[in-house]
Amino acid sequence: MRKKFRKMLSLSLAAALAASLAACSNTAGTGGSGADASQQDAGKTNQADAAKTNTSEFVTISYVMLGDKPKNGQFEKVMEKVNALLKQKVNAQLEVKWVEWADWQTKYNLLLASGEPLDLINVATDWLDTWPNAQKGAFMPLDKLLPTYAPITWKEVPPEHWAETKYKNQIVLIPENSYTQWVNHGYMYRGDWAKEFGITSPIKDFESFGTYLQGVKDKKPGVIPLDLNGGNLASFDGYITTKTDAIGIPVSTGPMPIFYAKSYDQRYTAFSPIFEDTFLNYAKLMKEWGDKGYWREDVLNYKGDNRAAMEGGKSGSDQHHTQTFLGEKVKMEKLQPGSDLQFFPFSVTRGNLVSMPITHGGTSIGARSKHPERALMVYELLRNDQEIYRLFNYGIEGVQYVVKDGKRYRPDGYDVQKHDFYSNFWGGRVDKNEIPDGTLWDGAKDLYASYDKIKKPFPYGRFVFDKNPVNNELTAITQVVSKSLPAIAYGKAGDPAKAVETFRAQLKSAGHDKVLAEIQKQLDAYKQMVESSK
């Protein structure tokens, strides 16, 4: 099957390449809706479209990735091999354009708005403002291009998944829909220390987690209980999740969404928990934690690496998602033997876990790309050619990894400083080309099974909020959230009751009520669409 698949990929790309070599000009495709054409008909190679690009010209395709640019030289070594294969197969090379983590959201959105001719772009509808950027015209429609230049991807993504990638009935991104992962957030903490502090049951709420942090403060001199930086605001959503049945609505308000639905059963009823007692209680608890010294005094300006601090025994906890925990649990046993890392997922308190959208990761093409056809051909290889996929995701076999019994491990002599490699390819991973990570915790399957028992389907897959009627108000709200929420989240805003009152007043002045009414209006229309399609 594997040989047959790779032969299919080579033949599909060869067909597009052969047709394009016959062309005498280099004209970029513009895309189109293609919304009413059947997927079967659209999947046939369109020789006329293929002839629009001349692949006899060697081109460089850019790929916008999130993350700090690797500095140990391994990325360049891997890319030499990747680009040799890309040149051979589609006469192109790939150049990763990094958007580094410091002030990443602002940098990313400014880059997409700059007018620069970007090719491939890492996107996500739930954390990378895909729909707002689509409304600004940042992405190229792909309906007419996909069947020809990414035929395997086109056929393997089912129509119901393509439906979740459309803006104004046009496909504007390729979803990472065939990759198994859980990115529900929570706190990691040391099980050995928890037992030492008298905590014998798994932590399932903020109060118990606070008891753990106090234990670190009292009994582990020189250790910061929760050494986060002020840009991490996950405690806000985490607290809402543990105390209510509210679920987030995909409407961006900067560093943290503030608009929710009442519950999964009331998923079409919008509100903001900022104006509920729950938020006041959250502010009071964070003030209490801050006053007790659970994080550093300069937390709002701190830019350090908390995970590295935890791995070095200098922090008692870290905040991230399930996938990170699975790797950290094994890593911590090597770096801090006996640490028995545990995870407190926010959803465990009330069982209100919503599956992530298939567009949590994805890839778009910039609206001003000069080589969209070739960009799709490169993406097709990154996603479907097993050799290129594994190079781009894992690095060089024997240097970054070895395979034993069908699983990936680190080679003997592996030095993370010298040999570490990452590409942060979060926009096209597929299970079919994955090599299971042998370093992940063996209990992952049981954790996944516990999630599967309580998960609810993501309800907003085709909900694209049109912010145009309230664009000014959303901009103002984002500024308020960016300025005021971090101080409240780390107890640095003074009296919590006054801080919450001021925050609410600022949101009201910025246009909260108008935005909420518009969200409700569009949710009502979305509900009608969903129910009429049943």
Side-chain angles (χ1 to χ4, degrees), residues 178-225:
S178 298
Y179 178 68
T180 302
Q181 63 176 328
W182 277 100
V183 293
N184 54 315
H185 281 246
Y187 287 119
M188 291 172 266
Y189 64 96
R190 291 185 58 154
D192 59 342
W193 289 358
K195 291 178 182 177
E196 182 181 334
F197 306 152
I199 302 171
T200 57
S201 299
I203 292 175
K204 295 185 177 181
D205 53 55
F206 268 65
E207 289 73 21
S208 299
F209 185 63
T211 300
Y212 169 80
L213 296 177
Q214 187 62 49
V216 177
K217 182 70 177 176
D218 293 340
K219 300 183 179 181
K220 301 296 173 182
V223 178
I224 297 176

Side-chain angles (χ1 to χ4, degrees), residues 14 20 24 70 95 107 109 115 124 157-158 160 163 238 249 251 276 297 322 326 336 380 444 449 478 484 503 519:
S20 58
C24 58
E95 179 181 66
K107 292 176 181 176
N109 287 329
V157 177
E160 61 271 21
I249 297 173
V251 176
E276 304 286 320
E297 184 63 29
T322 293
L326 296 178
Q336 299 290 330
E380 179 88 328
T478 296
S484 299
F503 186 38
I519 293 172

Side-chain angles (χ1 to χ4, degrees), residues 171-401:
I171 294 171
V172 295
L173 69 99
I174 305 169
E176 193 178 65
N177 66 311
S178 298
Y179 178 68
T180 302
Q181 63 176 328
W182 277 100
V183 293
N184 54 315
H185 281 246
Y187 287 119
M188 291 172 266
Y189 64 96
R190 291 185 58 154
D192 59 342
W193 289 358
K195 291 178 182 177
E196 182 181 334
F197 306 152
I199 302 171
T200 57
S201 299
I203 292 175
K204 295 185 177 181
D205 53 55
F206 268 65
E207 289 73 21
S208 299
F209 185 63
T211 300
Y212 169 80
L213 296 177
Q214 187 62 49
V216 177
K217 182 70 177 176
D218 293 340
K219 300 183 179 181
K220 301 296 173 182
V223 178
I224 297 176
L226 184 56
D227 196 18
L228 299 179
N229 65 67
N232 188 325
L233 302 179
S235 63
F236 165 70
D237 181 70
Y239 190 86
I240 300 302
T241 301
T242 64
K243 297 298 182 180
T244 76
D245 290 325
I247 60 174
I249 297 173
V251 176
S252 176
T253 52
M256 183 58 62
I258 66 166
F259 293 104
Y260 286 67
K262 291 283 187 178
S263 67
Y264 194 84
D265 289 340
Q266 296 175 288
R267 53 191 173 274
Y268 305 119
T269 302
F271 85 116
S272 176
I274 299 294
F275 294 89
E276 304 286 320
D277 287 344
T278 303
F279 182 68
L280 176 58
N281 294 335
Y282 164 74
K284 290 178 179 178
L285 183 63
M286 294 303 102
K287 182 68 165 64
E288 178 185 325
W289 283 13
D291 289 347
K292 290 181 176 179
Y294 291 171
W295 39 72
R296 61 178 63 229
E297 184 63 29
D298 63 342
V299 60
L300 295 180
N301 297 314
Y302 179 60
K303 303 296 182 185
D305 186 342
N306 177 62
R307 194 157 304 137
M310 183 181 73
E311 293 168 357
K314 299 298 183 181
S315 177
S317 181
D318 186 23
Q319 189 287 309
H320 214 251
H321 56 56
T322 293
Q323 296 302 118
T324 300
F325 163 68
L326 296 178
E328 282 298 307
K329 184 170 177 65
V330 175
K331 191 174 183 180
M332 280 287 287
E333 282 304 313
K334 294 180 180 179
L335 298 175
Q336 299 290 330
S339 56
D340 186 28
L341 195 68
Q342 298 293 310
F343 190 46
F344 158 37
F346 298 136
S347 59
V348 73
T349 308
R350 302 176 66 88
N352 51 347
L353 178 61
V354 177
S355 297
M356 71 176 191
I358 61 169
T359 51
H360 172 77
T363 297
S364 294
I365 291 184
R368 296 173 180 81
S369 169
K370 295 180 179 179
H371 308 288
E373 298 92 347
R374 202 86 64 90
L376 278 177
M377 294 169 82
V378 167
Y379 175 86
E380 179 88 328
L381 289 167
L382 293 176
R383 180 174 176 130
N384 296 304
D385 183 285
Q386 188 180 92
E387 182 179 10
I388 293 176
Y389 181 96
R390 291 181 174 177
L391 275 169
F392 197 55
N393 279 278
Y394 308 140
I396 301 170
E397 187 171 1
V399 178
Q400 273 77 38
Y401 72 99

